[in-house]
Amino acid sequence: MAESELSTRKNDHLDIVLDPARRHASMSAGFEALRFEHCALPELELDAVDLSASLFGRPLAAPLLISSMTGGAARAEAINRHLAEAAQALGIALAVGSQRVALEAGGANQGLTRELRRLAPDVPLLGNLGAAQLVRGYGLDEARRAVEMIEADALIIHLNPLQEAVQPGGDRDWRGVLGAIEQLARQLEVPLVAKEVGCGLSAAVARRLLEAGVAALDIAGAGGTSWAAVEAARATSRQQRAVAEAFAGWGIPSAEAIGRVRQACPEALLIGSGGIRDGIDAAKAIRLGANLVGQAAAVLDSALQSSEAVVEHFRIVIEQLRVVCFCTGSADLAALAQAPLLEGSG
């Protein structure tokens, strides 16, 4: 695909994702069907609740990841700068969008340079390549370039078969992808993270990815941005639109995916994302088995404004998470992971 065509597609994606009515899946992430049992005697000091975590050897002030969102859009330079500054100020992790455009565009780096590491010297930075590209010419060299480009601590390999299937010009041949991931995991000097993009990881696929050498899993379940809905919104023909629209409700809801993957993969480093609305959803994801929680579309509007807007957004999420810990009698995240969680809205 030509560079200009790819950049145009990424810009279209960004415009659509900024409009909730056009991006959302027609199913819920499942968190609203769960509620914590309230503890009226927490015997804790709210401000002393410990939300600290770590990722790939770097400490985190809270178990949060700013998930991949920008791709190759021309606006990505400002977005990435705001996200990096905010991640450093908050002490949380940052994953960039696909680096394919930056790798193929020569000087058009979309803000994906070592400047990000300068802006965020102390937090985990995660690079990002598409899984389908690993059987279409990409390999160890491109992966190393993606890592070196931003001095990343790890590299995300994103899995988006549904999006590719309903996207005009999408990568439709996925034969050999798992083998290519396994080979890259053996050779690359930093850990690999396997991430779905809104349809969720099943327990069986998660197990295969771990056995292939992947160091962490981001389930990115259904209930947030639906890339089938996004592709339907940018379709240029009635047929394309009809095919894509039918899959707006496809996937494994995030709450279900987190629980099933944790049960099947008790040893996994697990990131829960997809339809995380607030700190209460984040707490539920941790209780279901996530080690960290990711948000993308929910923070995109703030990312377009300023780093201060991003900081404000996540400070709200962090304080909500802290209050959940307090009101469940959980002094830290390990205790939160054991807090009583009941079925029923809340």
Side-chain angles (χ1 to χ4, degrees), residues 253-272:
S254 296
E256 180 182 329
I258 294 168
R260 289 187 177 185
V261 171
R262 174 53 71 203
Q263 185 175 13
C265 308
E267 79 285 15
L269 174 55
L270 186 59
I271 300 166

Side-chain angles (χ1 to χ4, degrees), residues 36 282-290 336-341:
F36 282 103
K284 291 175 181 178
I286 290 168
R287 174 58 182 85
L288 290 168
L336 178 63
Q338 302 297 320
L341 188 65

Side-chain angles (χ1 to χ4, degrees), residues 243-304:
V243 171
E245 282 178 342
F247 290 92
W250 184 271
I252 309 167
S254 296
E256 180 182 329
I258 294 168
R260 289 187 177 185
V261 171
R262 174 53 71 203
Q263 185 175 13
C265 308
E267 79 285 15
L269 174 55
L270 186 59
I271 300 166
S273 65
I276 302 291
R277 298 166 298 182
D278 51 32
I280 300 175
D281 281 354
K284 291 175 181 178
I286 290 168
R287 174 58 182 85
L288 290 168
N291 301 102
L292 270 72
V293 179
Q295 269 195 330
V299 74
L300 184 53
D301 186 62
S302 298
L304 282 167

Side-chain angles (χ1 to χ4, degrees), residues 135 172-178:
V135 291
R172 304 170 76 93
D173 187 352
W174 278 60
R175 293 172 297 177
V177 168
L178 182 62

